[in-house]
Amino acid sequence: MNRKTLVLPAVIGLLAPVLAACGGSDGGSGGGDAVVVGTTDRFTASKEAPAPLDPAYAYDVGAWNILRQTVQTLMVQPRGDGQPVPEAAEKCGFTDTGNERYACTLRDGLKFANGDPVTAADVKYSIERALSLKAATGVFSLLSTIDTVETQGDREVIFHLNTADATFPFKLSTPVAGIVNPDDYKKDSLRDGFEVDGSGPYTMKPEIKDGELAKAVFTKNPHYKGSLKVNNDKAEIVSFADAQSMGTALEKGDIDLMTRAMTPDQVRKLSEDTGGDVDIIEVAGLEIRYLGFNTDAPTVKDKAVRKAMAQLINRNELVSAVYGSQAEPLYSMVPASIPGHSNSFFNTYGEPSVSKAKAMLESADVTTPVKLTLNYTTDHYGAATKQEFEQLQKQLNDSGLFDVEIEGIPWKVFNPAELKGEYDVYGMGWFPDFPDADSFLAPFLDKDNALNSPYTNVEVINKLIPQSRREADRLSAADSLTRMQDVIAEDVPLIPLWQGKQYVAVRDDITGTAYALNTSSSLQLWELARGVSG
């Protein structure tokens, strides 16, 4: 087959409810060698973050991609996009008109991988555990609208919410709501290390090298009972130090597929080359990149400094220089393809302007040039991150208003340090918990936010977030969602930079790649199998 780029449009998500499999672990082709997926995600356990794969702690796309294969949730996002559908549950739904009481019935005969029965009490235990542990990552905040969890018998679970939350079914599809066995996960402490147990489609055996998870080996769980059709008996995720070594492994046939994070050059070359047995597939994605601020830090505490940066950054120039057609400028934390999106930063600042930025700083009596360090992670969002921050540095320094240095830090150090507030300005990426505007706003603006940011806005927390969640029709939430985006542009606790496409590079004999990733960048290993591609 000629090497080519296959574009899978977002409309594929509209077909998801029709195409979604309703099987169990006995479906699919199975057999053959393991399907091997490469990634540059690094999985480390440290003193600061000893439990990277505990559902009550994990809050990054790499860890979630391990958990989604192993720890079952009541609901699951279907192929592509669309409303979540029952997974460990047989049925779920709101039982009141105010979206404050949500009831689920577990599938009959549900078991953990070790054969223990999964009961409503286990669901209650798992949810209450995540809420009570309040891990430093802030992932528990996804469940913050839960007031109490009630069980009725072994199969009925009822969630009583403290406020209306139309997005709640989505939240039950995220790993923090994963069902764990009380025998494996203590209620009062996180589970250190890389062991994971659950009732999902696979069991996982970690292979550790130099204190890192070098390979995760997934074997089909014979006790799995859910909505997913498992198309292989075995799959592996292999972690690489960089995109180049991952690409070499794909060319040699040591791995079958690679996802994040390929470099822009790799994507371009694979798209342009002909011949060979590797295809590049473009999949609709919702990844964004942004700058975050410790708004209590002396260097950026004055809002005028943050506003001046927002006024100076040239997103078109940044994207063109680093990512080309693989990304688009972003003027809101909410991607353009999500209902409720508003170009709030463009509406507020317009085109980049040195004179406007200078006037902002002069009006606030800020001495220039403002000295800052932009911190970024060297090994989590791809090799192009350094080039991206060099561009940001150049744009700000060329204005004469800033004296910016940049510093790259490995993720295992960067992430805990950011949560402790050690960086004044830092670069981050975001892969949504679920495809809704709420997932691009509430994690950054609500109480117990994902960045542990000191920034708060009473209007957003007490009025706008609850107001938006009352609307089951998400288009009806547009006014409150737009106002939240305008608040971010006004106060600048964050600066959105760009939204990106996502790509899968795969060898010709692997099938199911159309659904290997969904728009939230969730890896769906169960879709993959060996076969003859068309």
Side-chain angles (χ1 to χ4, degrees):
M1 172 184 276
N2 289 335
R3 184 177 283 145
K4 57 188 179 296
T5 301
L6 307 176
V7 181
L8 303 179
V11 73
I12 205 166
L14 302 177
L15 304 176
V18 178
L19 296 175
C22 296
S25 61
D26 57 347
S29 59
D33 297 331
V35 177
V36 184
V37 177
T39 181
T40 58
D41 285 321
R42 310 299 293 275
F43 307 96
T44 60
S46 64
K47 181 179 179 181
E48 295 79 11
L53 297 181
D54 190 318
Y57 177 88
Y59 204 8
D60 68 81
V61 67
W64 274 21
N65 280 339
I66 299 286
L67 293 174
R68 289 186 189 278
Q69 323 305 320
T70 50
V71 180
Q72 200 173 17
T73 48
L74 290 170
M75 304 291 284
V76 69
Q77 293 180 44
R79 286 173 164 181
D81 264 332
Q83 293 296 312
V85 297
E87 165 53 353
E90 181 180 273
K91 61 179 180 179
C92 284
F94 286 106
T95 59
D96 65 336
T97 57
N99 292 338
E100 294 183 358
R101 187 180 188 273
Y102 195 80
C104 293
T105 302
L106 293 180
R107 293 179 184 271
D108 190 22
L110 208 62
K111 295 180 180 180
F112 289 109
N114 67 357
D116 289 349
V118 176
T119 67
D122 296 321
V123 177
K124 176 180 170 70
Y125 177 92
S126 302
I127 297 294
E128 291 179 344
R129 175 179 181 267
L131 284 169
S132 65
L133 286 173
K134 292 190 174 182
T137 57
V139 67
F140 67 92
S141 64
L142 281 170
L143 307 175
S144 64
T145 54
I146 295 175
D147 185 21
T148 59
V149 184
E150 175 189 355
T151 63
Q152 294 183 359
D154 286 341
R155 294 178 58 202
E156 304 295 327
V157 185
I158 302 169
F159 299 94
H160 300 277
L161 308 184
N162 52 39
T163 185
D165 188 359
T167 68
F168 189 66
F170 281 108
K171 293 169 181 175
L172 289 182
S173 72
T174 62
V176 69
I179 307 167
V180 299
N181 192 330
D183 291 342
D184 299 318
Y185 294 82
K186 296 179 181 179
K187 189 165 189 175
D188 58 356
S189 63
L190 293 169
R191 185 178 183 180
D192 293 353
F194 301 104
E195 298 293 332
V196 180
D197 294 285
S199 57
Y202 297 96
T203 61
M204 192 276 282
K205 179 181 179 182
E207 294 189 8
I208 313 301
K209 183 178 181 181
D210 298 328
E212 295 190 6
L213 178 64
K215 180 190 293 186
V217 180
F218 298 91
T219 302
K220 187 161 66 172
N221 174 12
H223 294 297
Y224 171 69
K225 191 172 186 180
S227 65
L228 307 174
K229 181 182 177 183
V230 184
N231 290 316
N232 58 72
D233 290 329
K234 192 174 182 180
E236 299 174 357
I237 295 178
V238 179
S239 179
F240 288 87
D242 53 63
Q244 286 71 30
S245 58
M246 180 172 65
T248 299
L250 182 68
E251 289 291 336
K252 292 169 59 180
D254 293 338
I255 63 174
D256 301 300
L257 181 150
M258 64 179 183
T259 55
R260 58 183 307 270
M262 287 180 270
T263 67
D265 281 344
Q266 282 178 316
V267 173
R268 279 192 289 267
K269 288 177 181 178
L270 286 169
S271 300
E272 294 168 358
D273 289 350
T274 59
D277 52 8
V278 174
D279 301 324
I280 184 82
I281 302 173
E282 179 185 315
V283 185
L286 297 172
E287 174 188 5
I288 69 167
R289 297 285 175 85
Y290 64 95
L291 291 179
F293 295 92
N294 177 354
T295 53
D296 280 350
T299 58
V300 294
K301 188 171 185 177
D302 193 321
K303 183 165 64 174
V305 174
R306 308 193 302 268
K307 291 173 72 74
M309 292 177 67
Q311 183 65 69
L312 289 171
I313 291 172
N314 188 325
R315 293 167 177 80
N316 286 307
E317 187 179 85
L318 174 68
V319 169
S320 176
V322 182
Y323 298 102
S325 62
Q326 298 166 33
E328 298 175 357
L330 182 63
Y331 295 92
S332 166
M333 292 297 288
V334 180
S337 53
I338 292 288
H341 163 83
S342 174
N343 284 318
S344 296
F345 272 77
F346 188 83
N347 298 338
T348 302
Y349 300 98
E351 297 293 341
S353 169
V354 174
S355 61
K356 288 182 180 180
K358 183 178 181 180
M360 291 173 180
L361 294 171
E362 288 178 346
S363 178
D365 293 325
V366 175
T367 302
T368 58
V370 179
K371 292 188 175 183
L372 289 175
T373 298
L374 303 187
N375 299 275
Y376 67 93
T377 178
T378 56
D379 57 354
H380 193 66
Y381 298 118
T385 306
K386 180 181 180 181
Q387 187 181 353
E388 177 181 337
F389 273 75
E390 289 171 344
Q391 284 291 322
L392 290 169
Q393 179 188 35
K394 183 177 187 302
Q395 289 183 13
L396 294 170
N397 287 350
D398 283 354
S399 72
L401 302 174
F402 286 87
D403 180 5
V404 169
E405 295 182 355
I406 60 174
E407 183 176 359
I409 304 110
W411 179 252
K412 65 181 180 181
V413 176
F414 178 91
N415 191 37
E418 184 280 311
L419 291 171
K420 292 178 182 178
E422 294 182 10
Y423 305 135
D424 296 3
V425 191
Y426 50 90
M428 294 286 279
W430 185 250
F431 301 85
D433 306 320
F434 46 87
D436 185 276
D438 182 271
S439 188
F440 292 92
L441 296 170
F444 307 105
L445 301 176
D446 208 350
K447 293 177 289 187
D448 302 311
N449 66 78
L451 299 175
N452 201 24
S453 168
Y455 172 78
T456 58
N457 183 288
V458 174
E459 179 192 8
V460 170
I461 293 172
N462 295 338
K463 178 183 176 182
L464 297 176
I465 291 177
Q467 190 177 76
S468 70
R469 289 172 175 171
R470 283 196 287 270
E471 301 294 344
D473 178 358
R474 302 309 287 155
L475 292 175
S476 300
D479 288 347
S480 52
L481 295 171
T482 297
R483 175 59 187 149
M484 280 189 269
Q485 293 165 83
D486 290 345
V487 167
I488 295 175
E490 292 166 8
D491 291 351
V492 200
L494 309 157
I495 297 180
L497 298 173
W498 55 266
Q499 67 180 84
K501 302 172 184 177
Q502 59 181 355
Y503 298 86
V504 174
V506 60
R507 300 188 69 80
D508 269 354
D509 64 336
I510 302 300
T511 63
T513 52
Y515 298 108
L517 295 176
N518 66 15
T519 56
S520 298
S521 296
S522 298
L523 183 62
Q524 302 175 144
L525 289 179
W526 54 85
E527 296 284 358
L528 303 175
R530 294 193 181 279
V532 180
S533 59

